Amino acid sequence: MKTTNERTGLAQMAAAMAISGTVGIFVLESGQSAWNVVFFRCVFGALGLLAYCLARGLLRPGIFTRATLAWALAAGAAIVLNWVLLFSAYRLASISLSTAVYNFQPFFLIALGTVFLGERPTLGKLAWSLIAFGGLLLVLRIEPAELAQAGGYLHGLALALGAGALYAVTSIIVKRLKHIAPHVLALVQVSLGAVLLLPMVDFGALPAAPSQWGYLVAIGLLHTSLTYILLYSAIQKLPTTSVAALAFIYPAVAIVLDFVVYGQRLALSQVAGVSLILLAAAGVSLNWRLPARGGRRARPDAGAGAA
C-alpha cells in the first residue's frame, strides 16, 4: 500500500509532466521567436524560483565554490540552448515529432556516460538503443525532396535531436552537483539564460495582445517555476522507477494536444517510429529486460537506474 507521502509524490510528478506536455501550445500561441520565448521564460522563471528559494531559506553564503559555480553555469548554458532548439523545432517539425525525437535523450546519456564517466552500457541498453534508432529513421521519413528543402521538417527534427543531446549534457553535469539544492541550480540556470539571451531578444517584435503576454508569463511561472518545484519535490518522495514511468506523461500529453489543437496527423510509419522511440526510452529508464535467445529472460542490468 502506498504511503500518503508517496501518493503526494505521484500526484506532483503527474502534474509536472502534464504541465510540461502543454508547453508547445503556449510557445506557438505566444507568436514569438524561440529566442524571445526562452528569454522571457528565463526572466519570469527566475522570479518565481527566486521567491521560492527565499521562502524556503535555500539561498545562503558558500553554496558554490568556484568550480561548482562554473559547472552550474555550464549546465545552465546547455539547458537554455536546449530550450531554444526545441522551441524552434516546434514550428518546423510539429510539436508531436519534435517531442518524440527529443525523447531520444536517454540514448545520448548512455553515450556521454560511456565517453566521460567510463560507464559500460549493458547489452540490454545497447539493444534498446538500436530499437530507438530504428524508430528515429521511421520518424524522419528521409526522402530526396525533403533533403533539398532548407528549413523543412527534417531541419526541425535535427534541432529537436540537438536539444535532446544538450539536455543529456546538462544531466551529466548536474550529476557532479548532487550536494546543491536542485531549485538553486534551476535558479542559476534561468538567471544565466536571461543574461545570455538579452542580446538576442527582438524588442521590436514584442507581443501587443495581452493574451500573448499571458502565454509568456505562464511559460515562465507555470512551465518553469512551478514545474521545477513539483518535479523536484516528487523526486524526493518516489522511487526511481515511478519517476521514470510518469515521465512519459509529458510526450503523451504533447502528442495528443498537437492533434486536438492543430490537427497534426502523423503517417503510419511515423506513428510506428514514435512508438518505438518511446518504448525504447521506457525500456532504458525502467530497466526492462529484453527476451534472451531460447526464450530465457536476460538478467537485469546491474546497478542501472533512471537515465
Side-chain angles (χ1 to χ4, degrees):
M1 182 178 294
K2 291 182 174 63
T3 64
T4 301
N5 197 46
E6 189 173 353
R7 285 195 295 270
T8 301
L10 289 170
Q12 290 172 328
M13 185 69 187
M17 292 300 98
I19 293 170
S20 296
T22 68
V23 71
I25 305 295
F26 282 68
V27 169
L28 295 183
E29 293 300 315
S30 74
Q32 294 292 291
S33 69
W35 297 103
N36 280 21
V37 172
V38 178
F39 171 75
F40 286 108
R41 176 178 196 169
C42 290
V43 170
F44 294 122
L47 292 175
L49 286 168
L50 177 61
Y52 180 82
C53 289
L54 287 174
R56 296 294 301 273
L58 299 176
L59 300 179
R60 59 187 185 278
I63 296 176
F64 293 98
T65 65
R66 287 186 180 181
T68 56
L69 181 60
W71 282 115
L73 293 176
I79 198 67
V80 168
L81 185 53
N82 147 82
W83 289 335
V84 172
L85 294 184
L86 182 60
F87 293 173
S88 298
Y90 288 155
R91 289 185 170 84
L92 293 172
S94 82
I95 295 171
S96 298
L97 293 179
S98 298
T99 301
V101 172
Y102 184 64
N103 274 271
F104 204 78
Q105 57 192 248
F107 308 101
F108 288 121
L109 268 174
I110 292 172
L112 290 172
T114 300
V115 174
F116 295 105
L117 302 180
E119 298 175 351
R120 295 183 61 184
T122 63
L123 289 177
K125 287 186 176 181
L126 291 175
W128 284 121
S129 299
L130 288 176
I131 291 172
F133 184 72
L136 181 62
L137 293 179
L138 289 174
V139 167
L140 294 179
R141 294 181 68 207
I142 299 174
E143 299 173 3
E146 289 291 343
L147 292 175
Q149 278 189 341
Y153 88 92
L154 286 180
H155 181 204
L157 295 183
L159 292 176
L161 203 59
L166 285 169
Y167 187 88
V169 169
T170 302
S171 299
I172 289 290
I173 294 174
V174 168
K175 283 188 175 184
R176 292 175 168 265
L177 304 170
K178 290 181 179 179
H179 60 290
I180 298 172
H183 305 91
V184 175
L185 288 177
L187 175 59
V188 170
Q189 291 170 355
V190 293
S191 299
L192 174 67
V195 174
L196 290 180
L197 295 182
L198 183 59
M200 311 295 183
V201 179
D202 183 358
F203 288 101
L206 295 182
S211 61
Q212 290 180 311
W213 276 112
Y215 287 119
L216 292 177
V217 173
I219 291 170
L221 297 181
L222 184 65
H223 295 94
T224 307
S225 301
L226 179 59
T227 298
Y228 271 121
I229 291 167
L230 289 172
L231 177 63
Y232 293 140
S233 181
I235 288 173
Q236 292 172 345
K237 300 180 178 74
L238 296 175
T240 301
T241 51
S242 296
V243 171
L246 290 172
F248 289 93
I249 293 175
Y250 158 53
V253 170
I255 291 170
V256 169
L257 283 180
D258 198 21
F259 173 74
V260 171
V261 177
Y262 299 117
Q264 176 64 34
R265 295 179 181 275
L266 306 180
L268 287 178
S269 62
Q270 291 176 316
V271 171
V274 169
S275 301
L276 286 176
I277 290 173
L278 296 183
L279 173 66
V284 166
S285 300
L286 298 172
N287 198 24
W288 287 344
R289 297 172 295 177
L290 288 167
R293 279 185 290 182
R296 294 175 300 169
R297 300 285 290 177
R299 288 183 299 172
D301 296 338

